């Protein structure tokens, strides 16, 4: 997949306003508001902006936080990590490596075997259910 070269104007046209705010302006959807935090179906979670495969349902777990949570990436190379110092905290922001869209944050309080918790907005994801 070649890196996306869409402009912000292109994204604004392509995405709904609520998805644009999260994916392109790094907003966070309210906890327990999203489409996928309770989903248990088998399949692949892909970037809601460009469609790149990001997280397998095999690594999804209920962290009780109100956002879809994963203990591992489908492929580390499909995610980029950035220091986020907003709101007086140091967090690790997670973005899509293909299109640069905001996905959520990575925390170190996840379950074994990785200890990672990718806390991802439902609005940043689409779900491709296994047939
Ligand atoms: Fe993307």
């Amino acid at each position: 997949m070649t890196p996306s070269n869409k402009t912000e104007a292109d994204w604004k046209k392509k995405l709904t306003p609520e998805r644009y705010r999260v994916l392109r302006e790094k907003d966070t959807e309210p906890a327990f508001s999203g489409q996928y935090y309770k989903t248990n179906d088998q399949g692949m979670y892909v970037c809601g902006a460009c469609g790149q495969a990001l997280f397998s349902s095999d690594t999804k777990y209920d962290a009780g936080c109100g956002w879809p949570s994963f203990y591992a990436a489908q492929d580390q190379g499909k995610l980029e990590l950035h220091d986020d110092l907003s709101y007086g905290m140091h967090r690790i922001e997670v973005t899509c490596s293909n299109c640069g869209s905001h996905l959520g944050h990575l925390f170190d309080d996840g379950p074994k075997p990785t200890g990672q918790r990718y806390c991802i907005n439902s609005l940043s994801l689409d779900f491709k259910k296994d047939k």
Side-chain angles (χ1 to χ4, degrees), residues 55-107:
F55 298 100
S56 163
S57 61
D58 293 344
T59 63
K60 191 173 188 290
Y61 73 102
D62 183 6
C65 62
W67 292 279
S69 300
F70 305 88
Y71 63 76
Q74 197 264 334
D75 170 350
Q76 200 68 51
K78 293 176 177 171
L79 303 174
E80 283 181 1
L81 305 178
H82 313 267
D83 285 314
D84 174 2
L85 299 174
S86 63
Y87 301 102
M89 294 180 273
H90 179 207
R91 292 180 296 168
I92 308 293
E93 184 199 3
V94 183
T95 60
C96 171
S97 66
N98 182 56
C99 72
S101 290
H102 174 77
L103 303 171
H105 290 88
L106 171 61
F107 300 95

Side-chain angles (χ1 to χ4, degrees), residues 1 4 11 23 47-52 54 96-101 103:
M1 193 176 277
S4 173
W11 287 122
L23 283 158
C47 176
C50 76
Q52 172 162 257
L54 298 175
C96 171
S97 66
N98 182 56
C99 72
S101 290
L103 303 171

Side-chain angles (χ1 to χ4, degrees), residues 11-30 33-36 48-49 102-103 121-126:
W11 287 122
K12 214 161 210 167
K13 251 182 265 173
K14 178 179 159 74
L15 301 170
T16 63
E18 54 175 5
R19 292 194 119 185
Y20 184 85
R21 272 198 299 279
V22 173
L23 283 158
R24 304 305 304 178
E25 298 184 328
K26 307 184 187 301
D27 198 6
T28 299
E29 70 195 16
S33 73
Q35 194 179 354
Y36 297 131
H102 174 77
L103 303 171
N121 290 282
S122 294
L123 284 172
S124 294
L125 298 171
D126 281 318

